[in-house]
């Protein structure tokens, strides 16, 4: 019979409590090399603990990664990349057909409006053309165009 070493109870705990997860929003065009530099998080070292995770997301959503803090000094932190989203190798979602919006006059309070899927999305347009233009932008946003 094979002898199995079991994990001691004190080494199994709720991860958010023991490890800690933080989120960092960084400016657009920030690179992975910048966020992994030992001095990048120098202003936040007081909350760092070895083993904690940091989810990093840039304002333009191009940088999306998770870092693990390995070591902390008084002026720097050593981190390791445990997840990195790469647009070039990521599977691409194919565009789908989206049902068309419905533009209608909603009365003196709503004025011209557009609906999608039976839900009122936006109201208060003075002209039908303005409501149609807003509806087109809404559908483009849904399709990711």
């Amino acid at each position: 019979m094979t002898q199995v070493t079991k994990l001691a109870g004190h080494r199994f705990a709720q991860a958010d409590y023991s490890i800690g997860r933080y989120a960092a929003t960084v400016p657009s065009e920030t690179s992975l090399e910048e966020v992994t530099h030992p001095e990048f998080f120098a202003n936040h070292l007081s909350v760092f603990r070895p083993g904690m995770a940091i989810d990093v997301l840039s304002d333009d959503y191009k940088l999306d990664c998770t870092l693990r803090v390995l070591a902390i000094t008084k002026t720097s932190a050593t981190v390791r990349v445990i997840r990195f989203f790469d647009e070039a190798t990521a599977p691409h979602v194919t565009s789908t057909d989206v049902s068309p919006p419905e533009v209608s006059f909603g009365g003196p309070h709503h004025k011209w409006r557009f609906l999608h899927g039976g839900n009122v999305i936006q109201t208060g347009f003075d002209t039908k053309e303005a409501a149609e233009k807003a509806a087109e932008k809404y559908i483009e946003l849904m399709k990711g165009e």
Side-chain angles (χ1 to χ4, degrees):
M1 185 168 166
T2 305
Q3 181 67 25
V4 177
T5 304
K6 295 181 181 176
L7 180 67
H10 69 280
R11 298 190 58 86
F12 186 77
Q14 182 179 352
D16 284 340
Y17 176 77
S18 299
I19 295 173
R21 287 184 51 210
Y22 285 81
T25 305
V26 297
S28 300
E29 305 305 322
T30 302
S31 68
L32 181 64
E33 292 76 25
E34 289 176 282
V35 298
T36 56
H37 189 280
E39 296 175 349
F40 184 80
F41 292 103
N43 294 335
H44 305 282
L45 296 174
S46 63
V47 297
F48 277 28
R49 301 289 177 263
M52 72 179 276
I54 307 167
D55 287 322
V56 179
L57 185 61
S58 64
D59 291 334
D60 60 0
Y61 304 114
K62 291 185 179 178
L63 176 64
D64 184 356
C65 65
T66 302
L67 308 175
R68 173 85 59 213
V69 176
L70 302 176
I72 307 151
T73 68
K74 291 186 181 213
T75 59
S76 65
T78 304
V79 297
R80 166 177 61 208
V81 178
I82 56 175
R83 182 190 60 79
F84 175 69
F85 176 79
D86 183 20
E87 186 72 39
T89 60
H92 293 284
V93 178
T94 58
S95 64
T96 59
D97 290 333
V98 177
S99 60
E102 176 188 338
V103 175
S104 65
F105 188 74
H109 181 68
H110 272 201
K111 299 183 181 181
W112 284 98
R113 63 184 181 183
F114 73 92
L115 298 87
H116 188 254
N119 297 311
V120 176
I121 304 300
Q122 194 171 356
T123 64
F125 296 100
D126 291 328
T127 64
K128 182 177 181 181
E129 291 77 24
E132 288 172 344
K133 190 171 187 170
E136 286 175 21
K137 286 184 180 180
Y138 179 78
I139 297 299
E140 286 175 7
L141 181 65
M142 287 184 65
K143 291 182 177 181
E145 297 175 355

